Amino acid sequence: MRNTAIAKVFSDIADLLELKGENQFKIRAYQKVVRAIEHYPKEIRIMIDEGEDLKNIPGVGDAIAKKTTELVTTGKLEYYEKLKAEFPKGITNLLDIPGIGPKTASKLCSELGITSADSLEQAIKDGSVATLFRLGEKTANNILQQVEASRRKDQRISIGEALPIVEEILSALNSVPGVRNLTYAGSLRRFRETLGDIDLMGTVDNPQKVMDAFVSLPIVGQVLVQGPTKSSAIVSGGLQVDLRLVEHEAFGSLLQYFTGSKQHNISLRERGRRQGLKLSEYGITDIATDKLEKFADEENFYHRLGMQYIPPELREDQGEVEKAERGAIPRLVEVSDIKGDLHMHTDWSDGHSSIKEMALAAKKLGYQYIAITEHSGGRGIAHGLDVERLRKQIEEIKKVNEYIDGIQVFSGIEVDIRADGTLDLPHEILAKLNVVIAAVHSAMNQSKGKMTQRVLSAVEDPDVDIIAHPTCRLLGKREPIAIDLEAVFRTAAKNNKIMEINAMPDRLDLNDIHASRARELGVKLAIETDAHDVSHLDFMRFGVGMARRAWCEPQHIVNTLSLADVLTLLNVSR
Ligand SMILES: [Zn+2]
Ligand SMILES: [Zn+2]
């Protein structure tokens, strides 16, 4: 339970007490605690973990400390539950919406029977709220906006949406003089596929200037907190961004602390305790002498604990601490290892750029090869290629290869795996191509058994090299298909077939967990952008992030191979 969630419970209590007509003194005491907890720099659950006295938090006395401990350790507060039971069910849902106070909430509940953001939205839209309160349309619309904003807040944002926003903020703040080490921490730095809040941190010569610059960025909407060392704001898209500024000497331990994960940090603390060391965001304290050692960089923090540096993507408490102690953390794949991209579309089907433009853009990235893999015609959409047009494209690719030096363009296809498991194009044409990718694009509701057989028949087809986006999920939009990936991976390993890590930010498919299992089973992986435009070639880093979370080294990823080696591999897989 994070501090914001704890503060929320006390804020509800204050509101309910106000509704009840309790004395103002008591109400104000709760409101004070809410602000103190929201702004407190340390997470309370960690204070409790470490046995720290909660009364160190301003405004927290015995009674609140006891309630807080009950709430954090059991996830429930009896006093709060009893208080809530005195009011119509759902009233606290309305109190969650900024701009709705206890009186309004009570009236909405009792007179209109509104108990949720959804029913409130409905009532605003049909005009009954405006009539009830004589609010007028404008105020009602303001409330409506708040309803929408609070709904967005509950949603996690995908890394593909978040990273560009964060990079925009960082690049704006980096232009303020005196800024050093500005970076992101938290789940974004660990490269989780979806994120809650964003944690930024850095060291600066003039914190005030940077904080002022931060809250006045055009992208920043509501400012929640503005202080000398910590500010929080909601940026466009509903994302909450916290910015912390610290002294240069302690930056490494702070970055380590706020990168998490929580479980990883708990494992590290246990390891420290065995060595007589106490770990915190301020540094490492020798318990015997009570001397605090500060760390300006993160690597030395890990080295002080007698272990290898652990890349952020591995910090999920999946055995990485123990491996780092043994010096067994592998050298993970990096974007600079990538030598080609084997899945992309052009203006021959539903892409925007020409073959030549794609080749030149890829050459600029330092690639040695790309494969052009349009959709096949059977899908009936997106100008898929039939045998005739595919023949023409093979000729066109030959011309492009004569025209451009320094990069090889492979002919290829992203052939549809039909509902019955057969491929959408005949063997005669598939055999002429350098790369054949097979993928499911239709009849996605098949039973697990049927779907697995369907994909397995493609894996076993001698014409196929790669299976693209194996689960077909679209983050936040489409659930993965039902499929026995374990069976698919085992068959792929046996037949020397490649599984794709699709790097499109809303696909990330295979994800980290699946890619890790495939790697364990000896399946070859390819990180591919599925680019439909030259700008999409930059998606490679999202796929590399997934591969790193899956503990992949360059040797596990086929498109780290040189041109000669990848050609050999593609011929071997047929
Ligand atoms: Zn596809
Ligand atoms: Zn594609």
Side-chain angles (χ1 to χ4, degrees):
M1 190 175 244
R2 297 194 65 165
N3 287 5
T4 43
I6 300 165
K8 163 77 178 62
V9 169
F10 287 122
S11 162
D12 282 353
I13 290 174
D15 287 339
L16 294 174
L17 290 175
E18 197 170 333
L19 260 185
K20 237 178 125 175
E22 282 270 2
N23 85 56
Q24 282 300 314
F25 204 68
K26 194 170 171 185
I27 295 165
R28 245 177 271 133
Y30 273 106
Q31 287 166 345
K32 221 174 121 188
V33 165
V34 170
R35 282 193 297 275
I37 291 177
E38 270 178 347
H39 298 176
Y40 203 67
K42 191 164 180 175
E43 287 294 325
I44 288 174
R45 54 165 200 250
I46 290 164
M47 293 175 74
I48 292 174
D49 254 14
E50 293 176 352
E52 196 177 324
D53 194 348
L54 298 185
K55 281 180 284 182
N56 290 342
I57 304 169
V60 171
D62 274 321
I64 298 283
K66 224 177 120 206
K67 286 194 174 76
T68 307
T69 308
E70 184 193 338
L71 183 60
V72 173
T73 50
T74 69
K76 241 181 154 159
L77 179 60
E78 209 193 323
Y79 173 73
Y80 176 49
E81 297 302 322
K82 277 189 180 156
L83 190 60
K84 265 201 300 192
E86 296 178 42
F87 296 92
K89 229 181 169 175
I91 192 163
T92 51
N93 295 336
L94 299 182
L95 291 170
D96 288 357
I97 299 162
I100 294 195
K103 289 217 176 70
T104 313
S106 160
K107 216 165 165 188
L108 288 169
C109 263
S110 55
E111 300 201 41
L112 293 177
I114 294 168
T115 55
S116 69
D118 286 348
S119 54
L120 176 60
E121 183 173 6
Q122 194 53 44
I124 291 173
K125 282 180 176 161
D126 69 29
S128 45
V129 170
T131 333
L132 172 67
F133 290 100
R134 296 197 207 96
L135 290 172
E137 223 165 288
K138 196 172 168 230
T139 317
N141 274 335
N142 277 344
I143 296 178
L144 190 59
Q145 274 183 7
Q146 297 285 11
V147 170
E148 281 160 0
S150 64
R151 195 172 287 147
R152 270 201 308 276
K153 237 185 98 184
D154 294 339
Q155 286 172 359
R156 292 173 70 80
I157 184 170
S158 73
I159 191 162
E161 288 175 87
L163 193 54
I165 296 173
V166 170
E167 284 170 340
E168 186 186 332
I169 295 172
L170 290 182
S171 101
L173 294 183
N174 268 319
S175 65
V176 179
V179 170
R180 285 187 285 178
N181 294 329
L182 203 61
T183 184
Y184 47 82
S187 42
L188 177 58
R189 186 154 178 258
R190 301 201 312 277
F191 229 88
R192 291 279 305 263
E193 62 187 32
T194 61
L195 313 159
D197 300 348
I198 303 293
D199 294 301
L200 304 182
M201 51 198 49
T203 67
V204 296
D205 298 334
N206 187 343
Q208 193 57 51
K209 252 196 182 138
V210 176
M211 285 304 182
D212 288 346
F214 173 57
V215 298
S216 49
L217 289 175
I219 197 174
V220 166
Q222 194 189 358
V223 176
L224 304 172
V225 187
Q226 185 182 359
T229 58
K230 192 198 158 192
S231 294
S232 297
I234 306 288
V235 303
S236 42
L239 190 63
Q240 181 175 333
V241 179
D242 298 342
L243 173 62
R244 281 187 182 76
L245 299 174
V246 293
E247 53 167 349
H248 188 68
E249 293 68 32
F251 178 71
S253 48
L254 193 91
L255 179 62
Q256 195 287 322
Y257 181 86
F258 279 103
T259 297
S261 66
K262 185 187 170 194
Q263 290 307 320
H264 171 81
N265 285 354
I266 288 173
S267 280
L268 272 191
R269 281 207 297 273
E270 276 165 10
R271 154 90 195 183
R273 212 169 292 150
R274 290 203 300 273
Q275 300 175 53
L277 303 172
K278 189 169 168 285
L279 277 50
S280 73
E281 65 265 48
Y282 308 108
I284 298 178
T285 307
D286 187 320
I287 295 169
T289 63
D290 206 31
K291 203 173 155 267
L292 173 72
E293 194 180 339
K294 292 182 180 178
F295 295 87
D297 82 72
E298 217 184 18
E299 294 203 12
N300 288 332
F301 185 91
Y302 282 96
H303 293 164
R304 176 69 182 84
L305 296 169
M307 61 178 74
Q308 264 179 304
Y309 174 73
I310 302 176
E313 296 92 337
L314 300 186
R315 298 182 198 169
E316 299 289 353
D317 196 28
Q318 307 281 334
E320 72 279 5
V321 171
E322 183 254 340
K323 280 212 171 72
E325 287 173 348
R326 290 193 284 112
I329 298 286
R331 205 288 253 162
L332 302 178
V333 62
E334 291 167 14
V335 171
S336 59
D337 294 318
I338 301 296
K339 297 202 174 71
D341 191 340
L342 295 172
H343 182 171
M344 66 187 67
H345 304 263
T346 73
D347 53 9
W348 279 67
S349 64
D350 58 347
H352 307 131
S353 312
S354 67
I355 298 172
K356 209 183 279 176
E357 285 166 337
M358 284 304 218
L360 288 171
K363 187 183 163 185
K364 227 179 184 172
L365 293 173
Y367 290 171
Q368 299 175 8
Y369 50 88
I370 56 169
I372 304 297
T373 55
E374 313 290 3
H375 295 292
S376 58
R379 285 175 71 202
I381 53 160
H383 309 101
L385 269 54
D386 56 18
V387 174
E388 202 40 50
R389 290 188 68 222
L390 192 47
R391 278 213 180 91
K392 280 188 185 144
Q393 194 185 52
I394 294 171
E395 289 311 308
E396 171 73 15
I397 287 172
K398 274 184 193 154
K399 279 186 207 152
V400 172
N401 276 326
E402 282 163 22
Y403 174 81
I404 301 175
D405 272 346
I407 187 157
Q408 180 80 30
V409 181
F410 298 156
S411 61
I413 192 77
E414 180 179 4
V415 63
D416 215 26
I417 308 171
R418 294 193 195 116
D420 64 1
T422 58
L423 298 179
D424 199 23
L425 286 166
H427 163 75
E428 291 68 38
I429 188 81
L430 295 179
K432 288 192 165 63
L433 298 165
N434 299 122
V435 181
V436 173
I437 299 177
V440 168
H441 294 102
S442 59
M444 293 191 192
N445 294 327
Q446 284 181 331
S447 70
K448 187 169 179 176
K450 227 175 173 179
M451 184 62 84
T452 305
Q453 278 314 313
R454 176 180 176 187
V455 173
L456 281 179
S457 48
V459 172
E460 287 170 333
D461 191 311
D463 286 329
V464 171
D465 302 298
I466 303 173
I467 303 293
H469 45 74
T471 77
C472 296
R473 66 125 174 219
L474 291 174
L475 263 173
K477 282 178 234 141
R478 186 167 68 212
E479 290 299 305
I481 53 174
I483 185 167
D484 181 356
L485 281 179
E486 186 77 12
V488 171
F489 292 162
R490 286 181 189 282
T491 309
K494 209 170 81 194
N495 290 275
N496 238 320
K497 297 300 159 92
I498 301 160
M499 301 299 287
E500 178 184 74
I501 298 176
N502 191 298
M504 269 192 164
D506 63 348
R507 286 198 184 268
L508 302 177
D509 179 13
L510 303 169
N511 68 12
D512 47 1
I513 294 165
H514 296 146
S516 177
R517 183 62 186 148
R519 173 188 53 74
E520 277 173 3
L521 291 172
V523 178
K524 293 191 174 62
L525 296 160
I527 308 173
E528 308 176 332
T529 62
D530 201 352
H532 284 63
D533 185 282
V534 286
S535 66
H536 295 170
L537 293 172
D538 292 333
F539 290 157
M540 187 58 77
R541 60 178 174 157
F542 294 105
V544 170
M546 280 305 111
R548 289 172 64 85
R549 285 181 59 82
W551 292 69
C552 288
E553 303 165 43
Q555 54 162 327
H556 301 120
I557 308 296
V558 300
N559 50 319
T560 63
L561 292 174
S562 68
L563 173 61
D565 288 343
V566 88
L567 272 174
T568 310
L569 177 81
L570 289 171
N571 286 329
V572 168
S573 73
R574 304 271 185 103

